[in-house]
Amino acid sequence: ASSGIGLALCKRLLVEDDELHLCLACRNMSKAEAVRAALLASHPTAEVTVVQVDVSNLQSVFQASKELKQRFQRFDCIYLNAGIMPNPHLNIKALFSGLFSRNVIHMFSTAEGLLTQDDKITADGLQEVFETNVFGHFILIRELEPLLCHSDNPSQLIWTSSRNARKSNFSLEDFQHSKGKEPYSSSKYATDLLSVALNRNFNQQGLYSNVVCPGTALTNLTYGVLPPFIWTLLMPAILLMRFFANAFTLTPYNGTEALVWLFHQKPESLNPLIKYLSATTGFGRNYITTQKMDLDEDTAEKFYQKLLELEKHVRVTVQKTDN
């Protein structure tokens, strides 16, 4: 919540309702406290608290969950927004071949085929992108189930997915994507699968899950792909392209459009197989569009069961470490 989409979301949510109780989950507590102070200065009637959590470290997730269960009785909504794209490499050959094809707009809107990343193993023995973008969040949800499952008053999970989520980059046999070169795309497809499976398993208990894509917004993640000055040079072309493709939201504020819209919806009325997309017109107007996810519920359930198996393994490992 201390930068990018997360920070913009916090600001917009307090504009929508300045009596909210927001809990900011951040790795860096000094940044978190600075954001908290700024939000309270703008919205003094709100309640804003912080919790330290690093979703790429399971010990941190378990500790944060323990603190949250001590401090709160329920959560109405959790935004699962943390994500990394480590050491992205631009495929120059694919870029230039795509520039002169009819798929140029699609290529720039989704980055399909353009980006590969170098992944690594975390201290927990997991692939870093998978643990950060998917599994750390999953463990957090599992720990907070007692605060989320209330059939009389539904709770909602809102995942930040991506238009870059590709079925072709995901495999149930290698769901951590240890053998591939597009772990980010794989992790976002895994997010889509997990959201569908969570609905299948928890809707009757009052917990609902949805996924969004913020579009191409300039944040620390996109600055990892190309440095800021390159984005500045590209901006005239991107602004022109926005008349033909709605994915170029460009600012974190615009990117949160779908996340804020979902905040106002009754979660039980939403389609669990739909991805909600932040979109911006060439003239800068924000709106919501939708996309049917390219997946089937059987695969989603199989993936969910694999995560439960991995959860059992890591809990044993963590307990041994604690002892």
Side-chain angles (χ1 to χ4, degrees), residues 99-114:
L99 283 174
F100 302 101
S101 74
R102 64 181 63 184
N103 294 322
V104 60
I105 300 296
H106 174 79
M107 179 184 71
F108 277 106
S109 298
T110 64
E112 184 177 355
L114 284 183

Side-chain angles (χ1 to χ4, degrees), residues 199-243:
N199 281 305
R200 188 172 178 174
N201 286 275
F202 288 96
N203 279 178
Q204 290 187 340
Q205 298 177 50
L207 178 60
Y208 293 81
S209 181
N210 294 100
V211 292
V212 305
C213 173
T216 303
L218 300 183
T219 65
N220 291 336
L221 191 144
T222 46
Y223 288 144
V225 178
L226 293 171
F229 80 93
I230 297 293
W231 285 107
T232 301
L233 293 174
L234 291 173
M235 195 55 64
I238 292 174
L239 290 173
L240 177 63
M241 204 176 300
R242 197 155 69 169
F243 283 94

Side-chain angles (χ1 to χ4, degrees), residues 42-101:
S42 301
H43 304 278
T45 59
E47 282 191 77
V48 182
T49 55
V50 298
V51 64
Q52 185 173 27
V53 61
D54 179 354
V55 286
S56 68
N57 182 307
L58 295 180
Q59 289 277 15
S60 174
V61 174
F62 285 122
Q63 179 59 38
S65 303
K66 182 180 178 181
E67 289 183 27
L68 291 169
K69 284 185 282 190
Q70 291 171 346
R71 288 157 52 181
F72 297 99
Q73 293 183 326
R74 67 165 287 127
F75 285 109
D76 297 301
C77 183
I78 296 183
Y79 285 94
L80 301 151
N81 180 58
I84 58 168
M85 185 192 291
N87 304 311
H89 303 290
L90 190 63
N91 187 329
I92 301 298
K93 183 179 179 181
L95 173 63
F96 279 100
S97 63
L99 283 174
F100 302 101
S101 74

